[in-house]
Amino acid sequence: MPRKRSARRFAADVSLLALAVAFALPLAWVLLSAVDPRAGLRLRAPDGLTLDNFRAILTPEITYTPLLNSLLLCGGATALTVGCATLAAYPLSRFRSRLNRPFLLTILFATSLPITAIMVPVYALFVRVNLIDTLQGTVFFFAASQLPFAIWLMKNFMDGVPRELEEAAWTDGASALQSLLRIVLPLMGPGLAVVTVFSFVMMWGNFFVPFMLLLTPDRMPASVSINDFFGNRGMVAYGQLAAFSVIYSTPVILLYVLVARRLGGGFALGGAVKG
């Protein structure tokens, strides 16, 4: 038996190591190609290190303006998503109704709808209401497309906050909104962090939505402008593409680092209402 367990553990370790290598190779290509003066499609050690690829892309047209557009789009849509998900999840978590389950199932169904299936009617609607080729229209659609799953996540985290803590606040005269802002949200910090990071990351890498709803090149986010590195007849500036990818990934990494401390928390609050 010990030999069989050792063999299974060894096989599992080898499988995990192979999976880790498969994920690490593309990341290694990006990092090495960004400083390689002769970057190509293959992964190799650079002959020499250079920052020319970064110097070539650090211009307003290539990097600064698209990144600013991405921050405005994704940051605004994330704030709108988290705010609306909080207000929608609170009554679903705290009040019992026969409509709760059908409503949640409807939300779950909405998360399974592919974006490509609804883009044509959305595009026609945006044309009628003059939201096409506008940052605010793209923000609204980003938030609406991400909101169903955000509500599901927010409700699950909100269920972990004991209701007795709110009841004590209500006894002292606090309203439902005050208890939400001062009791529930501070205690579900990890939940807010998860919803925020998940929503931002899903929007940050979205290519199809801004490509369809935005027409002016100056309003395109970085997820769309990265396509400009792929030229005609198969010509690709691999070094500049890798350098742009490094810069493009930086805001997501910084956001995760900023909220990483809240992700380790939990909802071990049961003892707070005992005794």
Side-chain angles (χ1 to χ4, degrees):
M1 293 296 293
R3 293 182 178 179
K4 291 183 178 180
R5 291 179 180 177
S6 300
R8 292 177 181 176
R9 185 176 300 176
F10 178 77
D13 292 340
V14 171
S15 300
L16 291 176
L17 180 60
L19 186 62
V21 170
F23 278 96
L25 286 178
L27 298 178
W29 178 88
V30 171
L31 295 177
L32 293 177
S33 298
V35 294
D36 189 353
R38 301 180 180 178
L41 189 57
R42 295 183 179 181
L43 176 63
R44 67 182 184 89
D47 299 333
L49 301 181
T50 181
L51 296 178
D52 291 340
N53 294 324
F54 289 95
R55 295 190 186 99
I57 66 169
L58 290 178
T59 62
E61 296 80 9
I62 298 177
T63 300
Y64 298 141
T65 300
L67 280 180
L68 178 60
N69 293 336
S70 294
L71 291 174
L72 292 176
L73 287 174
C74 301
T78 299
L80 185 60
T81 300
V82 173
C84 293
T86 301
L87 296 178
Y90 183 74
L92 292 173
S93 175
R94 289 299 186 256
F95 304 104
R96 297 294 179 262
S97 173
R98 295 181 179 179
L99 300 179
N100 283 9
R101 181 176 176 81
F103 182 75
L104 289 174
L105 292 177
T106 302
I107 292 177
L108 182 62
F109 172 75
T111 61
S112 63
L113 292 176
I115 295 295
T116 54
I118 62 176
M119 185 52 66
V120 173
V122 167
Y123 186 89
L125 175 64
F126 274 37
V127 171
R128 286 182 173 271
V129 296
N130 295 324
L131 286 178
I132 200 70
D133 196 25
T134 61
L135 294 180
Q136 60 268 27
T138 308
V139 167
F140 291 152
F141 185 78
F142 263 148
S145 61
Q146 197 60 42
L147 189 58
F149 195 72
I151 293 176
W152 265 90
L153 286 178
M154 193 72 72
K155 178 187 178 301
N156 290 334
F157 284 112
M158 202 170 289
D159 289 341
V161 179
R163 183 182 176 88
E164 288 81 358
L165 298 177
E166 287 186 88
E167 292 176 349
W170 295 339
T171 302
D172 294 336
S175 63
L177 182 60
Q178 289 175 332
S179 65
L180 171 63
L181 297 177
R182 299 181 180 181
I183 303 297
V184 178
L185 293 183
L187 293 177
M188 54 175 294
L192 287 174
V194 169
V195 175
T196 300
V197 173
F198 182 84
S199 301
F200 187 86
V201 170
M202 294 298 293
M203 299 172 190
W204 187 259
N206 194 304
F207 169 84
F208 185 70
V209 171
F211 179 76
M212 292 295 297
L213 298 182
L214 297 175
L215 306 178
T216 305
D218 293 339
R219 298 176 181 175
M220 292 294 180
S223 59
V224 178
S225 65
I226 195 173
N227 189 52
D228 296 336
F229 291 99
F230 297 88
N232 297 327
R233 300 180 181 179
M235 299 297 294
V236 182
Y238 290 107
Q240 297 180 17
L241 174 62
F244 186 84
S245 299
V246 172
I247 297 177
Y248 178 52
S249 305
T250 302
V252 176
I253 298 175
L254 291 178
L255 176 64
Y256 176 78
V257 171
L258 291 175
V259 303
R261 296 179 180 179
R262 308 300 301 272
L263 294 177
F267 296 103
L269 303 175
V273 295
K274 294 182 179 179

